[in-house]
Amino acid sequence: LEFRRVLFRSTKSQTPLSLELIRPVRETVANLPSTRYYGSKRKLLLWIYDNIRTLEFDTVLDALGGTASVSLMFKAMRKTVTYHDGFRFNIDVANTVLSNKPAMDRDTVLQFISRVTPQSGVVSNVFQGIYYTDKENAWIDGFISSLQQTELDRPQRSLLRYLLYQACLKKRPFNLFHRSNLH
């Protein structure tokens, strides 16, 4: 079943401001993005949901937010979520997946990526021959340099870094960064 919630401008007005699709929480949780992140609570979300769904509360603090899976579940439950994590990587993930609207459209992202010029930098110099090829390392360095030189707001930077993280994770077999297996 799908339900729609109608939002009104005021309690006196009967003119709808917008329609919002309401999906069952279990369906939403089942369709959350894969994390490929050691320690993620993604696989425990339905268990957590089954154990808290009858509690009455409106706000949640996800103090050790990690991949934001738990925050996404609470958001699906229509709770107000405050996310926190100490790692920039996780904050970028949360800023991207918890956002109500994309920070950039696909064409803008593709334009940014098309302007990336490979160059030598930290990744090329420190991680040569370990995780990625020399060409890939130079592209990552060029991406970071472009990110630093382009005027972007925080959500846009988070989205672009998130896309880089996802691409890097996808490229590594089984997300194995604890050993080099370049070839």
Side-chain angles (χ1 to χ4, degrees):
L1 291 174
E2 288 185 356
F3 299 94
R4 295 192 184 268
R5 178 172 71 169
V6 181
L7 303 175
F8 295 96
R9 292 188 192 279
S10 71
T11 54
K12 295 177 184 177
S13 171
Q14 292 303 311
T15 306
L17 180 62
S18 65
L19 291 175
E20 184 178 332
L21 180 64
I22 300 175
R23 289 195 172 97
V25 174
R26 290 182 146 285
E27 178 185 321
T28 302
V29 167
N31 291 316
L32 290 179
S34 171
T35 59
R36 297 186 310 270
Y37 193 79
Y38 190 76
S40 171
K41 306 303 177 275
R42 172 70 176 80
K43 292 181 180 179
L44 300 173
L45 292 180
L46 289 176
W47 179 86
I48 294 169
Y49 173 71
D50 286 339
N51 285 278
I52 63 162
R53 64 189 171 121
T54 59
L55 299 175
E56 292 185 30
F57 61 98
D58 296 319
T59 60
V60 174
L61 170 62
D62 193 358
L64 302 170
T67 61
S69 294
V70 174
S71 292
L72 284 167
M73 179 198 66
F74 284 118
K75 189 174 175 184
M77 293 173 66
R78 304 259 182 246
K79 307 301 180 189
T80 301
V81 179
T82 300
Y83 173 94
H84 171 77
D85 199 279
F87 293 119
R88 162 61 42 204
F89 170 89
N90 289 335
I91 292 169
D92 287 336
V93 170
N95 284 342
T96 301
V97 301
L98 292 174
S99 175
N100 291 326
K101 63 178 186 143
M104 303 170 93
D105 63 31
R106 180 183 175 90
D107 290 338
T108 306
V109 170
L110 292 174
Q111 286 173 7
F112 176 85
I113 291 172
S114 71
R115 292 191 305 264
V116 171
T117 304
Q119 63 185 51
S120 180
V122 173
V123 176
S124 299
N125 296 326
V126 175
F127 299 102
Q128 182 180 18
I130 299 176
Y131 302 116
Y132 303 109
T133 65
D134 291 344
K135 184 177 176 181
E136 292 165 335
N137 287 340
W139 191 89
I140 292 169
D141 282 328
F143 181 94
I144 297 302
S145 177
S146 294
L147 195 60
Q148 292 169 341
Q149 295 172 10
T150 305
E151 191 170 324
L152 300 164
D153 61 24
R154 183 177 295 183
Q156 291 171 324
R157 287 184 191 285
S158 287
L159 171 65
L160 290 169
R161 283 192 298 254
Y162 171 76
L163 294 173
L164 176 65
Y165 304 152
Q166 289 301 102
C168 288
L169 288 171
K170 185 80 170 173
K171 181 78 175 156
R172 292 293 298 165
F174 308 107
N175 189 24
L176 297 176
F177 281 93
H178 62 282
R179 60 181 158 174
S180 66
N181 57 347
L182 179 61
H183 305 290

